[in-house]
Amino acid sequence: LSLVPAASYAQGVNGDVVNTISFATFSDPHYYPQVLTMDENGNKSEAWYEATRLDCKQYEESEDIILTALETLRIRAEKTGVKYILFPGDITKDSEYVAHTEFAAILENFEKETGIRMIVINGNHDINSNRATQFVNGIKETARSITPQEFREVYANLGYDLATDEYA
């Protein structure tokens, strides 16, 4: 709520709210693209299954979960007038660059189709993680992690374009 200016709830002479803002939140999707789980033959890597076997997050289904949640938010927005969806972090599994670029593309497409503005901010899983991984060679390897500057660039049209100030 600290992101919502107090003026958005300003009251008119009769006590009516003259400005309203309506938003939804979608947190902790922990998106992990399937392309990072495949071995050189295009099959799911055994190393991937072993690495995530005991993890309670649903990385295998993350894209389907995200798309279903966005569709649900679209339907609810039509009924409630939601104009913004806030993504308060933990966007990716562990800051994998490819995950961020794919997730941003999903959000940009949704925004274009619906007119609902997306506002993305990073969480502790989203920037410079030394735990970023990939399994493209059949083994667990370090993946490229996104930097703070790259994060701003990838999400430039998804909230950063609305910012009046940024704090490092």
Side-chain angles (χ1 to χ4, degrees):
L1 291 176
S2 65
L3 300 174
V4 180
S8 67
Y9 294 104
Q11 292 188 349
V13 177
N14 298 327
D16 298 333
V17 175
V18 294
N19 292 316
T20 60
I21 188 166
S22 181
F23 63 95
T25 59
F26 184 162
S27 67
D28 297 82
H30 291 278
Y31 178 65
Y32 195 78
Q34 296 302 300
V35 67
L36 296 179
T37 68
M38 304 290 186
D39 66 17
E40 61 278 355
N41 299 317
N43 300 311
K44 294 280 181 178
S45 166
E46 283 301 317
W48 164 251
Y49 287 119
E50 183 60 30
T52 59
R53 183 173 59 87
L54 299 176
D55 198 324
C56 64
K57 295 178 183 78
Q58 296 176 318
Y59 300 120
E60 283 288 310
E61 298 83 9
S62 64
E63 183 173 359
D64 290 335
I65 291 169
I66 290 163
L67 295 174
T68 300
L70 287 173
E71 179 59 15
T72 301
L73 287 167
R74 183 194 61 77
I75 292 167
R76 297 209 61 204
E78 288 174 357
K79 295 177 183 177
T80 63
V82 166
K83 301 291 184 212
Y84 301 91
I85 300 176
L86 174 63
F87 293 83
D90 289 354
I91 303 302
T92 61
K93 178 182 175 293
D94 287 306
S95 83
E96 293 82 6
Y97 182 85
V98 171
H100 281 294
T101 59
E102 286 191 14
F103 189 77
I106 291 168
L107 295 187
E108 286 177 351
N109 187 50
F110 181 82
E111 188 175 86
K112 194 179 303 177
E113 290 176 358
T114 65
I116 300 169
R117 294 299 316 258
M118 308 282 106
I119 301 172
V120 177
I121 56 176
N122 65 287
N124 65 321
H125 284 259
D126 292 322
I127 295 176
N128 286 341
S129 175
N130 61 0
R131 295 175 38 166
T133 56
Q134 63 183 10
F135 300 83
V136 294
N137 295 314
I139 57 172
K140 183 177 181 178
E141 301 175 320
T142 300
R144 177 180 175 197
S145 180
I146 201 166
T147 67
Q149 182 58 38
E150 290 170 331
F151 188 91
R152 285 185 201 89
E153 291 167 5
V154 167
Y155 295 104
N157 298 321
L158 298 165
Y160 282 91
D161 55 334
L162 301 173
T164 58
D165 287 300
E166 283 186 47
Y167 301 94

